[in-house]
Amino acid sequence: MVYEIKTQGKFKFIEEGEGEPLVLLHGLFGAMSNFGGLIDYFRQYNKVVVPLLPLFDLNILDTSVSGLAKYVHKFIETMGYTNVHILGNSLGGHVGLVYLLKHPEAPVKSLILTGSSGLFENGMGETYPKRGDYEYIRKKTELTFYDPAMATKELVDEVFDITTNRLKVIKIITLAKSAIRHNLGEELRDIKIPTLLVWGLNDTVTPPMVGEEFKKLIPNSELYFIDKCGHAPMMEQPEEFNKILHPFLEKLKQQ
């Protein structure tokens, strides 16, 4: 399904459905396509919102996890959302965490993390990025998933296009380094809102032990694993993912 991209001031976003806002934050190579299964399902129950994170548009000093968290804060403030549920995959989870830690007063009701960075992640590796090497990028993209067939030509092309643009490569490396430096550790104990952790059992980027560590550090959290699933559960196993997320959100609506 094709969604209308709306604009308000400097913000570009998708907004579908009505109800409590479910704000989806994508990762470093993320795009709207990552959340297709989520948007289609949850627009029946929630206002599903996907802000286009300005990964390549921030000035170099703000090209960091904190810079993106500031952007999310301004976006939620501008839109006047309340009773927000934030869902972040990979770097998006990290951005959501930093936003909540810097703004404990934020109108956020719950947090959902899936394959989130913030504690530990295997990046694209020291050799990244080999510009112009399509085969290398294809293999790296396949490693995101349990099933390599998930790395469609369309998806690999998207990543390849990014890696052939010198300025975008600089921004990607800057953001990746910022994520590694900005390790949250014990700070996570300050996240008091209900938190759902959904991890792929076959995630090689943020392995299952990372999910377990988040569970240990975030006081009010619950952890679920999905089998035969890599770093993007909402994309690789959308039905299973939605089955875990829906009751979590429904329970909170009654509070």
Side-chain angles (χ1 to χ4, degrees):
M1 189 177 278
V2 178
Y3 303 104
E4 180 199 348
I5 294 180
K6 301 178 180 179
T7 304
Q8 183 148 332
K10 64 174 182 178
F11 301 108
K12 284 187 165 54
F13 58 97
I14 285 172
E15 190 182 69
E16 296 280 335
E18 289 302 323
E20 294 184 345
L22 174 61
V23 176
L24 312 179
L25 303 177
H26 59 77
L28 206 47
F29 289 96
M32 299 294 170
S33 56
N34 298 23
F35 293 126
L38 267 178
I39 300 169
D40 288 349
Y41 182 84
F42 283 101
R43 65 198 293 218
Q44 306 165 76
Y45 310 99
N46 289 76
K47 179 181 288 187
V48 184
V49 182
V50 192
L52 286 164
L53 297 180
L55 303 181
F56 309 117
D57 303 327
L58 294 172
N59 70 53
I60 202 73
L61 291 175
D62 286 329
T63 301
S64 63
V65 178
S66 294
L68 290 171
K70 195 190 296 180
Y71 181 88
V72 169
H73 171 61
K74 284 184 181 153
F75 173 69
I76 288 173
E77 210 172 46
T78 301
M79 299 303 290
Y81 294 144
T82 56
N83 292 323
V84 177
H85 305 275
I86 289 209
L87 186 155
N89 172 236
S90 197
L91 179 77
H94 200 162
V95 169
L97 284 164
V98 171
Y99 160 58
L100 289 170
L101 289 166
K102 290 195 172 181
H103 302 279
E105 77 299 337
V108 179
K109 203 168 174 181
S110 79
L111 174 66
I112 303 102
L113 299 176
T114 181
S116 177
S117 61
L119 285 175
F120 167 82
E121 67 275 356
N122 288 315
M124 286 292 251
E126 291 308 306
T127 52
Y128 172 78
K130 286 189 181 172
R131 286 172 65 204
D133 187 338
Y134 188 86
E135 193 54 24
Y136 174 83
I137 297 299
R138 185 181 64 76
K139 284 186 175 142
K140 280 291 183 186
T141 307
E142 283 178 355
L143 287 176
T144 308
F145 305 103
Y146 169 76
D147 176 7
M150 289 293 297
T152 59
K153 181 174 186 314
E154 187 187 15
L155 192 62
V156 177
D157 286 350
E158 274 177 35
V159 177
F160 185 70
D161 283 349
I162 292 169
T163 63
T164 51
N165 178 314
R166 189 170 168 274
L167 189 59
K168 286 184 177 180
V169 166
I170 290 167
K171 295 281 181 86
I172 288 280
I173 291 171
T174 306
L175 282 167
K177 284 183 174 167
S178 160
I180 290 162
R181 276 198 309 270
H182 204 141
N183 187 301
L184 297 168
E186 294 297 321
E187 283 179 74
L188 292 172
R189 298 191 189 280
D190 296 333
I191 302 268
K192 299 293 195 266
I193 57 174
T195 301
L196 176 69
L197 307 164
V198 185
W199 243 255
L201 264 179
N202 312 90
D203 185 344
T204 56
V205 182
T206 48
M209 61 156 193
V210 178
E212 284 163 3
E213 193 62 20
F214 272 115
K215 168 85 178 76
K216 204 184 295 175
L217 290 165
I218 299 175
N220 190 7
S221 62
E222 45 192 281
L223 170 63
Y224 293 84
F225 287 113
I226 298 179
D227 196 15
K228 296 183 177 162
C229 183
H231 187 54
M234 73 290 162
M235 192 177 172
E236 190 162 14
Q237 299 279 9
E239 282 179 26
E240 197 63 32
F241 188 92
N242 295 346
K243 241 186 259 176
I244 294 167
L245 178 55
H246 194 171
F248 174 79
L249 293 176
E250 284 302 310
K251 190 172 61 186
L252 290 171
K253 274 183 191 169
Q254 292 150 24
Q255 291 176 13

